[in-house]
Amino acid sequence: MNVDRIFLSEAHSSGKELSYLQKALQVKAITSGGSIVRDFEKDLEHYLEDKVYVNATNSGTAAIHLGLMLLGVQSGDEVLCQTMTFSASVNPILYIGATPVFVDSEPSTWNMCPVVLDEAIQDRLSKGKKTKCIVVVDLYGMPYQVEKIRAVPASYSIPLLEDSAEVLGSSYKGMPCGTLGDIGVFSFNGNKIITTSSGGALLLLDKLQKERATFLATQARDAAPYYQHSEIGYNYAMSSIAAAVGRGQLEVLKERIQARRDNHSFYCELFSEAKGITVFSEPSNDFFSNYWLTTILIDKEKTNGLTPEIFRLFLEEFNIEGRHLWKPMHLQPIFEKYPYYVDKMAASLFEIGLCLSRF
Ligand SMILES: *Cc1c(COP(=O)(O)O)cnc(C)c1O
């Protein structure tokens, strides 16, 4: 691989990780859980203005799996999920043996459409299926249409899981993403805005939920002096080495967000005169995006036939990575057999969109 390749979203070292790592090694905390993980959780809680309890996990996917269980999802239940997303929003629904039902996006945020969501809930009800939970995603840094979406499940008393894996640092009307549902989830995978190498977090409103999450994530051990288990457990706790890296990364989160936002501004300027290319941007001042990735839509009627794939291959010639937007879940071979409520929004975004690298 050429070292000069420009990637979509590389992990950075802040230079602050080493002292946290040294501390972790000194206290012989080379395991999962423990005081360094607690410190990282506290740092995150502090960052989120102490509005939620944080439970750190070894991936975002694990956090989604735990979150669904905490919201009571069980085998046979139906979970409505945004179709425009990464597969990790959906796979945990299937780990549980529940059924995903896909919902289309709306054009201003590319996230779940409140109108289609309402139609989907009603149509499922008419078929005798009560939705157990809704998974809404904040894609590419953009918060979802918070008020319009939340009004829908509220009227049916359906809990909302916010897959905020990509949006640490984003907010809606000043409220941080991750706290905009009943349970939120972050990912600290290497490609996200900050990383712990691999890791995630559950953001919970209630202390009992946090205790329950910790219990499930650490093999569901009963309170006994020996190993006794009355429930299925998981090995989902964050490692202290990952937490030490995370503490060092959190220190520079503000700078990272600014860098991503500068990247977005760069592309806005670059394409300001380009006919047929639109840079995906905040729909109003209510939305603050960390612009995890800068994404564009290309109208080939106005660009003399330029398509996302032609543009991607062009960038590839300069060893610059570009990537198509998420291919909607209802079009994925593994998920296409599940019910879906879609018009053409997510499918057309996939057809005409591209994610761009750092400049
Ligand atoms: C990255 C990501 C996840 C999964 O997080 P991991 O830490 O990689 O398990 C889930 N949902 C979305 C939308 C993501 O971008």
Side-chain angles (χ1 to χ4, degrees):
M1 193 167 51
N2 188 325
V3 285
D4 294 323
R5 183 166 172 79
I6 297 178
F7 289 99
L8 219 54
S9 180
E10 266 177 305
H12 295 251
S13 163
S14 71
K16 317 258 181 187
E17 296 90 351
L18 205 56
S19 66
Y20 288 107
L21 279 166
Q22 273 164 344
K23 207 169 118 195
L25 296 173
Q26 272 158 15
V27 298
K28 303 200 174 83
I30 316 175
T31 179
S32 68
S35 68
I36 293 167
V37 177
R38 299 291 89 78
D39 290 342
F40 178 56
E41 290 173 343
K42 281 200 202 97
D43 290 349
L44 271 171
E45 284 171 359
H46 181 70
Y47 180 77
L48 297 168
E49 294 155 7
D50 290 306
K51 288 198 175 85
V52 286
Y53 297 95
V54 173
N55 186 274
T57 56
N58 54 17
S59 75
T61 310
I64 295 170
H65 189 188
L66 290 171
L68 291 169
M69 289 190 281
L70 291 172
L71 292 175
V73 177
Q74 291 181 345
S75 177
D77 287 338
E78 282 196 351
V79 176
L80 297 195
C81 181
Q82 185 168 319
T83 190
M84 184 82 191
T85 187
F86 176 47
S87 63
S89 308
V90 185
N91 283 325
I93 299 171
L94 292 159
Y95 301 164
I96 296 176
T99 303
V101 176
F102 299 112
V103 177
D104 211 352
S105 286
E106 54 85 25
S108 72
T109 65
W110 299 2
N111 296 315
M112 194 180 266
C113 173
V115 178
V116 182
L117 174 63
D118 200 11
E119 285 167 8
I121 295 173
Q122 291 198 32
D123 190 65
R124 298 320 290 164
L125 277 174
S126 77
K127 295 180 162 67
K129 313 264 189 191
K130 184 167 186 327
T131 300
K132 187 69 188 193
C133 176
I134 295 163
V135 178
V136 66
V137 191
D138 310 287
L139 284 183
Y140 303 117
M142 195 64 75
Y144 70 94
Q145 285 281 4
V146 176
E147 280 130 3
K148 288 180 193 158
I149 286 287
R150 292 197 65 142
V152 181
S155 63
Y156 301 91
S157 303
I158 302 170
L160 192 66
L161 187 138
E162 183 188 11
D163 179 351
S164 35
E166 300 174 1
V167 286
L168 176 59
S170 298
S171 57
Y172 176 78
K173 291 190 174 171
M175 297 176 289
C177 283
T179 69
L180 305 176
D182 294 292
I183 285 183
V185 166
F186 286 141
S187 164
F188 303 110
N189 191 34
N191 65 342
K192 298 302 198 289
I193 191 144
I194 61 165
T195 184
T196 60
S197 70
S198 170
L202 266 169
L203 314 171
L204 304 161
L205 293 171
D206 149 357
K207 200 162 185 217
L208 288 175
Q209 275 182 328
K210 176 168 159 117
E211 282 164 18
R212 177 86 185 143
T214 306
F215 171 76
L216 291 172
T218 53
Q219 309 285 21
R221 272 184 73 183
D222 291 342
Y226 36 80
Y227 282 84
Q228 176 175 296
H229 307 272
S230 314
E231 282 188 73
I232 296 173
Y234 302 84
N235 185 5
Y236 280 175
M238 178 174 275
S239 97
S240 52
I241 297 299
V245 173
R247 295 198 78 194
Q249 293 259 312
L250 256 183
E251 281 196 31
V252 297
L253 176 58
K254 226 172 131 189
E255 287 91 322
R256 289 284 182 275
I257 295 170
Q258 194 52 50
R260 301 281 175 141
R261 288 183 63 85
D262 291 347
N263 202 39
H264 176 265
S265 302
F266 167 84
Y267 282 115
C268 284
E269 200 159 315
L270 185 70
F271 293 126
S272 62
E273 306 285 316
K275 278 205 191 70
I277 297 184
T278 350
V279 182
F280 179 47
S281 300
E282 292 150 349
S284 77
N285 287 337
D286 290 341
F287 296 81
F288 179 86
S289 173
N290 69 8
Y291 287 122
W292 171 54
L293 295 182
T294 295
T295 52
I296 54 169
L297 296 180
I298 303 175
D299 178 352
K300 70 171 191 289
E301 307 299 326
K302 295 189 184 148
T303 54
N304 285 325
L306 179 75
T307 63
E309 182 57 10
I310 292 170
F311 196 16
R312 191 186 71 77
L313 291 172
F314 167 78
L315 291 169
E316 206 53 52
E317 281 175 36
F318 297 90
N319 212 6
I320 299 172
E321 188 180 20
R323 195 181 296 158
H324 292 275
L325 300 188
W326 299 123
K327 181 175 180 178
M329 296 299 113
H330 71 282
L331 301 175
Q332 297 285 352
I334 183 70
F335 301 133
E336 64 189 8
K337 61 175 176 279
Y338 297 107
Y340 55 84
Y341 293 83
V342 298
D343 194 5
K344 290 194 183 70
M345 194 61 218
S348 84
L349 287 171
F350 171 59
E351 221 163 275
I352 66 172
L354 195 67
C355 304
L356 299 173
S357 293
R358 290 181 309 111
F359 55 83

